[in-house]
Short mmCIF file of all heavy atoms in Angstrom, two decimals:
data_model
loop_
_atom_site.label_atom_id
_atom_site.label_comp_id
_atom_site.label_asym_id
_atom_site.label_seq_id
_atom_site.Cartn_x
_atom_site.Cartn_y
_atom_site.Cartn_z
N HIS A 635 7.29 -4.80 -27.59
CA HIS A 635 8.03 -5.35 -26.49
C HIS A 635 7.36 -6.56 -25.78
O HIS A 635 7.99 -7.24 -25.02
CB HIS A 635 8.26 -4.26 -25.41
CG HIS A 635 9.25 -3.25 -25.78
ND1 HIS A 635 9.46 -2.07 -25.05
CD2 HIS A 635 10.11 -3.15 -26.83
CE1 HIS A 635 10.42 -1.35 -25.64
NE2 HIS A 635 10.82 -2.00 -26.70
N ASP A 636 6.09 -6.79 -26.11
CA ASP A 636 5.37 -7.89 -25.49
C ASP A 636 5.23 -9.05 -26.46
O ASP A 636 4.81 -8.88 -27.62
CB ASP A 636 3.96 -7.39 -25.07
CG ASP A 636 4.05 -6.18 -24.14
OD1 ASP A 636 4.10 -5.04 -24.65
OD2 ASP A 636 4.04 -6.41 -22.93
N TRP A 637 5.68 -10.24 -25.96
CA TRP A 637 5.77 -11.37 -26.87
C TRP A 637 5.14 -12.62 -26.22
O TRP A 637 5.06 -12.76 -24.98
CB TRP A 637 7.25 -11.71 -27.08
CG TRP A 637 8.02 -10.64 -27.80
CD1 TRP A 637 8.52 -9.52 -27.31
CD2 TRP A 637 8.39 -10.66 -29.18
NE1 TRP A 637 9.19 -8.78 -28.27
CE2 TRP A 637 9.11 -9.43 -29.43
CE3 TRP A 637 8.16 -11.47 -30.30
CZ2 TRP A 637 9.63 -9.13 -30.68
CZ3 TRP A 637 8.67 -11.18 -31.52
CH2 TRP A 637 9.39 -10.00 -31.73
N ILE A 638 4.72 -13.53 -27.14
CA ILE A 638 4.39 -14.92 -26.72
C ILE A 638 5.22 -15.83 -27.58
O ILE A 638 5.16 -15.74 -28.81
CB ILE A 638 2.91 -15.18 -26.92
CG1 ILE A 638 2.06 -14.31 -25.95
CG2 ILE A 638 2.59 -16.66 -26.63
CD1 ILE A 638 0.54 -14.51 -26.06
N PHE A 639 5.94 -16.72 -26.94
CA PHE A 639 6.71 -17.71 -27.62
C PHE A 639 6.20 -19.11 -27.28
O PHE A 639 5.63 -19.27 -26.20
CB PHE A 639 8.24 -17.62 -27.19
CG PHE A 639 8.88 -16.31 -27.51
CD1 PHE A 639 9.02 -15.39 -26.46
CD2 PHE A 639 9.28 -15.97 -28.76
CE1 PHE A 639 9.60 -14.16 -26.70
CE2 PHE A 639 9.86 -14.75 -29.00
CZ PHE A 639 10.02 -13.82 -27.98
N GLY A 640 6.44 -20.05 -28.16
CA GLY A 640 5.98 -21.42 -27.89
C GLY A 640 6.92 -22.41 -28.53
O GLY A 640 7.67 -22.10 -29.46
N THR A 641 6.90 -23.65 -28.06
CA THR A 641 7.71 -24.71 -28.57
C THR A 641 7.19 -25.17 -29.92
O THR A 641 5.99 -24.96 -30.26
CB THR A 641 7.83 -25.88 -27.58
OG1 THR A 641 6.53 -26.23 -27.14
CG2 THR A 641 8.65 -25.45 -26.37
N ASP A 642 8.02 -25.91 -30.63
CA ASP A 642 7.69 -26.35 -31.99
C ASP A 642 6.55 -27.40 -32.01
O ASP A 642 5.92 -27.62 -33.08
CB ASP A 642 8.91 -26.95 -32.70
CG ASP A 642 9.94 -25.89 -33.01
OD1 ASP A 642 9.55 -24.70 -33.18
OD2 ASP A 642 11.14 -26.18 -33.03
N ASP A 643 6.24 -28.02 -30.91
CA ASP A 643 5.18 -29.04 -30.85
C ASP A 643 3.80 -28.42 -30.58
O ASP A 643 2.85 -29.17 -30.39
CB ASP A 643 5.51 -30.08 -29.80
CG ASP A 643 5.81 -29.47 -28.40
OD1 ASP A 643 5.66 -28.28 -28.25
OD2 ASP A 643 6.26 -30.24 -27.53
N LEU A 644 3.70 -27.14 -30.64
CA LEU A 644 2.44 -26.43 -30.46
C LEU A 644 2.06 -25.73 -31.76
O LEU A 644 2.97 -25.25 -32.48
CB LEU A 644 2.53 -25.42 -29.32
CG LEU A 644 2.86 -25.97 -27.92
CD1 LEU A 644 3.00 -24.76 -26.97
CD2 LEU A 644 1.76 -26.87 -27.42
N ALA A 645 0.78 -25.63 -32.00
CA ALA A 645 0.26 -24.90 -33.16
C ALA A 645 -0.42 -23.62 -32.70
O ALA A 645 -1.15 -23.63 -31.74
CB ALA A 645 -0.69 -25.74 -33.97
N PHE A 646 -0.17 -22.49 -33.41
CA PHE A 646 -0.73 -21.20 -33.06
C PHE A 646 -1.65 -20.68 -34.10
O PHE A 646 -1.46 -20.89 -35.32
CB PHE A 646 0.38 -20.14 -32.80
CG PHE A 646 1.34 -20.53 -31.74
CD1 PHE A 646 2.62 -21.04 -32.01
CD2 PHE A 646 0.97 -20.39 -30.38
CE1 PHE A 646 3.47 -21.39 -30.99
CE2 PHE A 646 1.87 -20.73 -29.36
CZ PHE A 646 3.12 -21.24 -29.68
N SER A 647 -2.70 -19.96 -33.65
CA SER A 647 -3.64 -19.34 -34.56
C SER A 647 -4.30 -18.18 -33.84
O SER A 647 -4.27 -18.07 -32.64
CB SER A 647 -4.69 -20.34 -35.10
OG SER A 647 -5.47 -20.79 -33.99
N GLY A 648 -4.96 -17.28 -34.63
CA GLY A 648 -5.70 -16.22 -34.00
C GLY A 648 -4.89 -15.22 -33.26
O GLY A 648 -5.39 -14.60 -32.29
N TYR A 649 -3.55 -14.98 -33.67
CA TYR A 649 -2.73 -13.99 -32.96
C TYR A 649 -3.37 -12.62 -33.14
O TYR A 649 -3.77 -12.20 -34.23
CB TYR A 649 -1.34 -14.03 -33.58
CG TYR A 649 -0.41 -13.03 -32.96
CD1 TYR A 649 0.37 -13.37 -31.84
CD2 TYR A 649 -0.20 -11.76 -33.54
CE1 TYR A 649 1.24 -12.45 -31.28
CE2 TYR A 649 0.62 -10.83 -32.97
CZ TYR A 649 1.36 -11.21 -31.86
OH TYR A 649 2.25 -10.29 -31.30
N GLN A 650 -3.40 -11.84 -32.03
CA GLN A 650 -4.01 -10.53 -32.11
C GLN A 650 -3.44 -9.60 -31.03
O GLN A 650 -3.14 -10.02 -29.91
CB GLN A 650 -5.53 -10.68 -31.81
CG GLN A 650 -6.28 -9.35 -31.90
CD GLN A 650 -7.77 -9.52 -31.57
OE1 GLN A 650 -8.14 -10.47 -30.88
NE2 GLN A 650 -8.60 -8.64 -32.05
N VAL A 651 -3.25 -8.36 -31.45
CA VAL A 651 -2.83 -7.32 -30.54
C VAL A 651 -3.93 -6.20 -30.57
O VAL A 651 -4.21 -5.71 -31.63
CB VAL A 651 -1.47 -6.69 -30.87
CG1 VAL A 651 -1.12 -5.55 -29.92
CG2 VAL A 651 -0.40 -7.74 -30.85
#
Side-chain angles (χ1 to χ4, degrees):
H635 286 171
D636 302 87
W637 297 80
I638 295 179
F639 302 100
T641 50
D642 292 331
D643 51 8
L644 300 174
F646 299 103
S647 63
Y649 179 88
Q650 182 183 24
V651 178

